[in-house]
Amino acid sequence: MSYRINAGNTLWRFPDLKTVMAKATPLRSGDVLAGVAAQTAEESVAARMCLADIPLKAFLSETIIPYEDDAVTRLILDSHDHAAFAEIAHLTVGGFRDYLLSHGSDSRTLARIAPGITPEMAAAVSKLMRNQDLILAARKCRVVTQFRNTIGLEGHMSVRLQPNHPSDDRRGIAASIVDGLLYGTGDAVIGINPASDNIAVLSDLVEMMAEIVARYEIPTQTCVLTHVTTSIEMANRGMPVDLVFQSIAGTEKANMSFGISLEMLQEGYEAGLALKRGTVGENLMYFETGQGSALSADANFGCDQQTLEARAYGVARAYAPLLVNTVVGFIGPEYLYDGKQIIRAGLEDHFCGKLLGVPMGCDICYTNHAEADQDDMDTLLTLLGAAGINFIMGIPGSDDVMLNYQSTSFHDQLYLREVLGLKRAPEFQAWLERMRVTDPLGKLLPQDNAQALLEIAS
């Protein structure tokens, strides 16, 4: 179906919904690289005006990637909740924006309609929003998940403790774990990006973290961020796998480039459930995403990268994840050129994920060849904290020595807690108090009060 609109003295024509969506997207380098970005500011404004008038129902009849060609499209449409959608079925994209920002749309309302919102609807409405709109609407969305603790409660923010090491050295990883715990991080997950894909090495890391958690009775979960098939194999061998990880994307072809299928994700989910390692809940999948992943795999089909990113959240929500995070600036300046584009993308991703009912976090990061710096990350960190982010990353010194990129440090989460009054997962906070790492208000105590934890690195 073609779309047209009169803007000024020009009649603008867009051949299909996919083109309207792409042209309406705020400028980013990845869409320019893909050749789908608006050519002028006038064209971008016209596309947004056109998009605002499109009924939400159109997204159920016109797909941006054909149903018969793409498993992600089939998942999105086959799992769509028409009863939940009925509440907003009369709205246009512009009307949906007004609805989300209205005083009448609260957390309960947005949770109720979430199953009726497709990723394309979420992406479309985000394109009409200013940054403050993305923050306000996302803050209303509450997505709570549980495994060994409770993540996503209002006024709370969790942190992934990321103790990576370039050679998977046990002592180096253990030292980073101790460092992170003493700063009060790790309630989202203690998660290692391994340098090796050797199953013996990975199993050793899984067992080491399981031993630490069991010995010190830490109410958190662990994860080795390896391929889902490796996690399945470790689970089948009886290894103490907590969370099952996988990077995902918004098209079937892009997921194939990761060596995965939706059936494989389902197998990983079922393998994790069979181990019954959760104590307070069964949310056990951990997914990571990033704008530009489909384009880098030559699997974007002429779509803009932000819409495809939202489709990745449509994949994620099918498997009841504990954690989903956009590694927002990791793919590089070819896709998000500078700090301004990274900040906008982080807010978009968080909003779209939360609107879809996904427990969103963000790796607030950049690569060293991007036109960005730590001040930009401070800005995005603060904005996402105000928007109700479920979790962020905690990395020693904010510099990942294995993946070689810049993220957020153990200190950064302390800043955000101090400024915004954000609490940790309640079970984890109670443990920190018992270990005399923090006081009852969550403030750090002198580290000599936590001698037991220092044994981990010995």
Side-chain angles (χ1 to χ4, degrees):
M1 178 178 175
S2 63
Y3 298 88
R4 62 180 64 188
I5 190 168
N6 280 299
N9 296 318
T10 303
L11 175 63
W12 295 89
R13 294 183 177 90
F14 305 99
D16 50 31
L17 185 57
K18 175 171 64 177
T19 303
V20 177
M21 294 276 280
K23 301 293 187 182
T25 305
L27 183 66
R28 63 208 59 200
S29 53
D31 290 339
V32 174
L33 180 64
V36 302
Q39 296 298 303
T40 64
E42 290 82 2
E43 185 181 25
S44 177
V45 170
R48 292 181 204 183
M49 291 172 64
C50 184
L51 182 61
D53 289 337
I54 294 175
L56 292 181
K57 289 180 180 178
F59 293 89
L60 300 178
S61 58
E62 182 179 354
T63 59
I64 64 168
I65 303 175
Y67 181 92
E68 60 274 13
D69 295 342
D70 186 82
V72 175
T73 300
R74 292 192 291 274
L75 173 66
I76 290 168
L77 292 180
D78 292 349
S79 62
H80 181 249
D81 189 327
H82 293 275
F85 178 66
E87 191 167 339
I88 56 173
H90 62 289
L91 297 173
T92 62
V93 177
F96 189 34
R97 173 190 175 274
D98 295 341
Y99 173 91
L100 293 173
L101 298 175
S102 69
H103 294 302
S105 296
D106 57 15
S107 297
R108 290 185 179 182
T109 302
L110 299 186
R112 187 172 62 247
I113 67 171
I117 302 170
T118 68
E120 291 84 353
M121 293 175 193
V125 74
S126 75
K127 299 175 192 299
L128 304 183
M129 290 180 155
R130 294 169 55 185
N131 286 0
Q132 66 173 248
D133 299 335
L134 297 172
I135 293 168
L136 177 59
R139 187 175 179 83
K140 296 181 182 183
C141 300
R142 188 61 48 205
V143 184
V144 178
T145 55
Q146 294 181 306
F147 189 74
R148 289 204 191 94
N149 58 27
T150 305
I151 298 170
L153 295 170
E154 185 173 1
H156 291 66
M157 181 193 71
S158 296
V159 178
R160 170 187 164 189
L161 201 173
Q162 188 168 312
N164 294 346
H165 192 279
S167 64
D168 294 332
D169 180 74
R170 287 172 59 100
R171 288 178 62 85
I173 289 171
S176 292
I177 291 175
V178 171
D179 194 20
L181 291 172
L182 291 175
Y183 277 102
T185 71
D187 51 343
V189 63
I190 302 174
I192 301 171
N193 294 97
S196 172
D197 61 1
N198 182 286
I199 196 165
V201 173
L202 303 180
S203 297
D204 182 59
L205 295 177
V206 167
E207 290 185 315
M208 180 188 77
M209 290 193 293
E211 179 184 353
I212 291 171
V213 167
R215 179 176 178 182
Y216 295 97
E217 299 179 332
I218 308 174
T220 193
Q221 37 282 327
T222 66
C223 185
V224 172
L225 282 69
T226 186
H227 195 270
V228 63
T229 55
T230 307
S231 295
I232 292 169
E233 178 62 23
M234 288 192 291
N236 290 340
R237 293 185 183 188
M239 294 293 103
V241 175
D242 284 350
L243 305 189
V244 176
F245 170 81
Q246 184 56 51
S247 294
I248 58 173
T251 71
E252 180 179 12
K253 185 179 178 182
N255 283 321
M256 288 173 63
S257 76
F258 292 146
I260 63 167
S261 64
L262 301 184
E263 292 77 15
M264 201 177 290
L265 296 178
Q266 182 65 31
E267 184 181 355
Y269 178 49
E270 292 173 359
L273 285 175
L275 295 176
K276 300 184 184 299
R277 292 185 56 77
T279 57
V280 298
E282 293 186 330
N283 301 116
L284 56 83
M285 299 299 284
Y286 177 12
F287 296 118
E288 287 190 344
T289 68
Q291 287 193 29
S293 59
L295 177 58
S296 68
D298 191 26
N300 66 314
F301 302 98
C303 302
D304 71 90
Q305 65 186 38
Q306 189 260 334
T307 298
L308 295 184
E309 173 72 2
R311 281 168 55 99
Y313 308 146
V315 173
R317 72 174 171 181
Y319 306 98
L322 180 77
L323 307 168
V324 178
N325 71 271
T326 167
V327 192
V328 67
F330 182 74
I331 302 181
E334 300 86 353
Y335 306 97
L336 295 170
Y337 179 72
D338 56 15
K340 180 180 177 66
Q341 292 187 10
I342 292 172
I343 290 168
R344 173 69 191 191
L347 294 176
E348 289 170 346
D349 293 352
H350 176 250
F351 162 77
C352 287
K354 282 290 194 62
L355 189 62
L356 293 168
V358 172
M360 284 301 297
C362 184
D363 191 342
I364 301 163
C365 63
Y366 63 102
T367 57
N368 289 315
H369 61 309
E371 292 295 323
D373 58 28
Q374 212 64 41
D375 286 338
D376 296 313
M377 300 306 103
D378 286 349
T379 299
L380 180 54
L381 171 67
T382 307
L383 295 176
L384 286 173
I389 191 84
N390 275 31
F391 69 103
I392 62 170
M393 306 298 122
I395 299 173
S398 75
D399 185 1
D400 192 304
V401 295
M402 199 284 280
L403 293 173
N404 195 28
Y405 75 113
Q406 310 304 312
S407 185
T408 44
S409 70
F410 301 147
H411 300 76
D412 292 333
Q413 55 92 25
L414 293 177
Y415 145 75
L416 202 60
R417 296 190 194 285
E418 181 74 19
V419 170
L420 299 179
L422 298 174
K423 302 175 183 178
R424 300 172 180 86
E427 302 90 342
F428 190 78
Q429 179 56 49
W431 177 81
L432 290 174
E433 293 173 34
R434 291 197 302 273
M435 297 299 289
R436 301 187 66 197
V437 175
T438 70
D439 65 19
L441 297 177
K443 306 288 187 181
L444 294 183
L445 294 171
Q447 292 189 359
D448 57 7
N449 289 329
Q451 288 297 318
L453 286 177
L454 300 178
E455 298 174 9
I456 295 174
S458 64

